[in-house]
Amino acid sequence: MTASNKHPEAPWRNFYGRIHGKTLNQAQKDYLDEDLEALSPGAVSWDINPNRDPIDMDARFKGKPVWLEIGFGGGEHLVHMGETYPEIEIIGCEPFMNGVAMLLGKIRKLQTQNVAVHPGDARDLFDVLPDHSISKAFLNYPDPWPKKRHHRRRFVTAEHLEPLFRVLKPGAEFRVATDIPDYVRQTLIEVPKAGFVWQAEGPQDWSQPWSDWYSTRYEQKALREGRTPHYLTFVRP
C-alpha cells in the first residue's frame, strides 16, 4: 500500500511499483529535504486533506494553463517542457523517490520556476484536482508490466483513465509514448473506451515523435536494444 493509504479514511489502493531504489547520495537527500515541500501542487495527501478538498488551481498556479506528467522517471521530459513553455505550469507525479531526487537536482541546476512535484500515486492527485483543470497530459514509457496477469497494473486501465478524463479540459491532449507493442495494443483499446479520441490518420502519426519531444534515457535504452517507440496522441472531447 502507498503511504497516502495509511489514513483511516483513505480507500484501499494497491500499488505495485518501486518507491525506493539504490541509496541516495547526500546531494539528493538534500534536494528532498530542502526543495520538495515547496514544490508541492497543494494538499494531496490524505493526512493533510482527509476531506479531499479540491486544489485552488488559480491560486496555486497563478491562473496559467496546467499540464500533467504521470510517472516522470528522471524528470528529463518534465523539465524540458517546463523550460520550453514558461507560460504554463506543469505537475509531475512519480512515486519512485530516486527519480524525484533526480528531478529536483535538474530543477535546482536550471532554476526552473514552473514545475510542481507530487512524489506519490497519481490517483491521490486525481482525487483533489478539479474537473477540467488540466490542459495537457503525458504518459511516457510507463512501467510495461509485461506478464499478462499483471496487465491490470498498467496505467491504461479504467481506474486511472476515468479520473484522468474527468480532470482534463475538453480539447486537451493526452500523449502516450511506449516501446512495448502489447502496451500499444492495450492503450488503443482502453483509452478510447474511457472517452478519448485517437488522433492518428496514418503510420507517421504514431511512428514520429512530437515536434517538442525530448528523448529520455528510457527511450534511448529502448532504441539501443532494438525496440521501436510509438507516439500515440489522444484528445479528450
Side-chain angles (χ1 to χ4, degrees), residues 87-201:
E87 71 277 12
I88 63 96
E89 298 277 332
I90 183 166
I91 305 170
C93 288
E94 176 59 65
F96 185 50
M97 296 308 295
N98 296 65
V100 173
M102 291 176 64
L103 169 68
L104 296 179
K106 295 178 175 69
I107 291 173
R108 186 182 284 201
K109 179 180 178 181
L110 295 171
Q111 293 296 295
T112 308
Q113 299 296 311
N114 57 340
V115 174
V117 185
H118 169 54
D121 193 322
R123 292 171 294 185
D124 293 333
L125 180 64
F126 289 148
D127 287 345
V128 296
L129 286 175
D131 292 357
H132 309 156
S133 59
I134 300 297
S135 299
K136 187 176 288 190
F138 308 92
L139 180 69
N140 298 328
Y141 292 89
D143 194 323
W145 294 111
K147 294 181 180 179
K148 188 172 183 179
R149 68 178 184 273
H150 293 159
H151 287 184
R152 61 188 175 84
R153 301 180 181 182
R154 291 173 170 174
F155 183 86
V156 289
T157 58
E159 182 180 11
H160 303 94
L161 294 172
E162 289 175 2
L164 175 63
F165 186 90
R166 177 185 64 77
V167 304
L168 285 175
K169 293 183 177 182
E173 210 173 63
F174 174 39
R175 296 180 179 180
V176 182
T178 180
D179 60 302
I180 307 299
D182 188 66
Y183 207 105
V184 173
R185 179 197 62 79
Q186 187 171 342
T187 300
L188 292 177
I189 293 171
E190 297 297 331
V191 177
K193 191 185 296 184
F196 295 87
V197 179
W198 190 28
Q199 298 300 290
E201 296 181 355

Side-chain angles (χ1 to χ4, degrees), residues 15 17-33 36 71-76 78 93-107 117-120 217-218:
F15 181 79
R18 292 188 303 163
I19 295 177
H20 297 287
K22 63 183 180 180
T23 303
L24 300 173
N25 61 40
Q26 189 57 52
Q28 291 172 324
K29 292 177 183 177
D30 290 343
Y31 301 151
L32 292 172
D33 290 341
L36 182 57
F72 56 72
E76 303 101 316
L78 185 67
C93 288
E94 176 59 65
F96 185 50
M97 296 308 295
N98 296 65
V100 173
M102 291 176 64
L103 169 68
L104 296 179
K106 295 178 175 69
I107 291 173
V117 185
H118 169 54
R217 58 199 174 104
Y218 294 108

Side-chain angles (χ1 to χ4, degrees), residues 1-20 36 44-49 52 94-97 118-125 127:
M1 66 193 295
T2 62
S4 61
N5 284 344
K6 291 179 181 178
H7 191 277
E9 300 298 321
W12 174 261
R13 286 171 173 164
N14 285 328
F15 181 79
Y16 301 100
R18 292 188 303 163
I19 295 177
H20 297 287
L36 182 57
V44 177
S45 80
W46 281 83
D47 289 337
I48 62 173
N49 186 4
R52 314 315 283 151
E94 176 59 65
F96 185 50
M97 296 308 295
H118 169 54
D121 193 322
R123 292 171 294 185
D124 293 333
L125 180 64
D127 287 345

